[in-house]
Amino acid sequence: EKYFSIRMRASKYASSEQDEKHISGGEALCTYDKIKDTVNTLLDKALSHSRGDPDFMQIQFDVLNDPIKKINPLFVSNNSVNSDKTGRELALKFLVQSGVSEKAIAKGYQHLIDQSELRGAILIDYQSGERVDNSNERGIRVSRMDWLQSDFERWAAFYNLPTNPRLKEALVLATKVNDHPLAIAELCWSDDPGYITGYVASKRLGYQRITKMKSPGDEQGCRIFFIDGTKYTNSYIHYLQKQPILISW
Ligand code: PML
């Protein structure tokens, strides 16, 4: 059966058109008969976002020619912390345990600060901390991935986790990003001012949710992929953008 990749992105125009503010993005995979519903779900997501009402939205679909790879979700652990400071310290510990150098973590944060209008993820070498993608403000967008809603709900019930669409999307992405030989770890928190839970994910530690990673109201998100960036970076970027992945459980 043919599958399609559906992608959405929405933004707000600032004073000049070059200065778009990212509002929302979304990814889905579905069969032809589900395209209409899937497009609607992505449309709703962008129209009800707490980063604001979009001035611009694009939803596109294209047929997949490559076979879909099915992989199991990373194991999820919950870490409850009482401040974002404690959350960041815990994230640092998890990243180091996953093999990332402290230097690379410090430089990773600096890259984030330097590029406040970043839309996608940045790729950082796990030892040197050098940025190894050339995408500047745009960042790398991970695409072509999904998890059937019914499978996700069964999984969430089994582990007694919330059927939160943010958890679903983030776990799909983290599982894809880390299921590659060059991947070392990921650090993420949302750019939604009302959502402060984030995570560190790696093959070694699974998906470590951390309840507080920033202060409420903060619109600065974070998505850093720490990778072995000394070679084959382009093949990793190609994998992130093109390899269709369906989470199965
Ligand atoms: C996002 O939606 O922008 C990232 C959310 C990361 C945390 C999701 C969770 O585990 O609740």
Side-chain angles (χ1 to χ4, degrees), residues 164 166-171 188-192 195 197-199 207 209-210 223:
N164 169 351
R166 289 190 172 274
L167 169 61
K168 177 183 165 187
E169 281 173 26
L171 184 54
C188 170
W189 64 83
S190 184
D191 57 6
D192 183 328
Y195 202 84
T197 298
Y199 65 89
Y207 183 100
R209 283 184 102 191
I210 303 172
R223 196 146 245 159

Side-chain angles (χ1 to χ4, degrees), residues 5-6 27 34 40 76 86 90 102 108 115 130 134 142 147 164 184 189 204 208 215 239:
S5 155
I6 326 272
E27 296 288 337
K34 295 284 184 332
N40 261 319
V76 175
T86 321
L90 188 59
E102 292 205 25
Q115 218 128 47
E130 293 305 320
N134 298 314
V142 189
W147 192 353
N164 169 351
I184 307 293
W189 64 83
R204 207 175 286 178
Q208 295 284 347
S215 43
Y239 164 83

Side-chain angles (χ1 to χ4, degrees), residues 169-189:
E169 281 173 26
L171 184 54
V172 169
L173 183 140
T175 301
K176 176 171 182 180
V177 165
N178 285 286
D179 191 55
H180 189 282
L182 294 185
I184 307 293
E186 181 196 354
L187 171 67
C188 170
W189 64 83

